[in-house]
Amino acid sequence: GLPPPSATVAPRLAAAMRSARFALMASAACFGGSQAAASEASLNPIRKVVNLLQAMQKKVEAEGEKEKELYDQFMCWCKHGSGDLSSSISSANDKIPQVSSNIEA
């Protein structure tokens, strides 16, 4: 018949221990994060504003660098692109008589 009680209790006990260990680790992670938030919340309001402004300054500087790089690429394209466009137009204008004579022939 039936398995002995110790055979069914042991796996259940092991599963319960694993879930308890997981719950303990999860709660420790939550409390560790809330301590950092609590210490930040207890900061002087002026310090909070200064921290926000410093973070904003870093963000704006990073965006400025990105915009400068894009502007430099655009200016490079403008310098080289107009020369390429002019040469392309002049070569197309030179080909017009040839193509016209080929079409008429």
Side-chain angles (χ1 to χ4, degrees):
L2 293 174
S6 61
T8 58
V9 172
R12 287 184 196 165
L13 182 61
M17 299 268 299
R18 282 193 300 266
S19 63
R21 189 178 325 136
F22 175 75
L24 181 64
M25 291 170 58
S27 64
C30 289
F31 285 120
S34 66
Q35 285 177 346
S39 67
E40 187 175 317
S42 67
L43 289 177
N44 183 351
I46 295 172
R47 183 79 238 159
K48 288 181 185 178
V49 172
V50 169
N51 288 343
L52 286 172
L53 289 173
Q54 287 173 341
M56 187 185 300
Q57 179 184 8
K58 289 178 184 177
K59 183 178 178 182
V60 168
E61 286 175 353
E63 289 175 355
E65 289 293 321
K66 190 175 172 184
E67 289 291 326
K68 183 182 181 306
E69 182 180 327
L70 288 173
Y71 177 79
D72 291 342
Q73 290 176 358
F74 177 72
M75 290 308 295
C76 180
W77 178 81
C78 287
K79 289 178 185 175
H80 296 101
S82 64
D84 294 341
L85 185 61
S86 297
S87 66
S88 175
I89 291 171
S90 65
S91 67
N93 285 335
D94 293 342
K95 289 182 184 179
I96 289 175
Q98 282 181 337
V99 173
S100 295
S101 65
N102 288 342
I103 291 174
E104 291 173 2

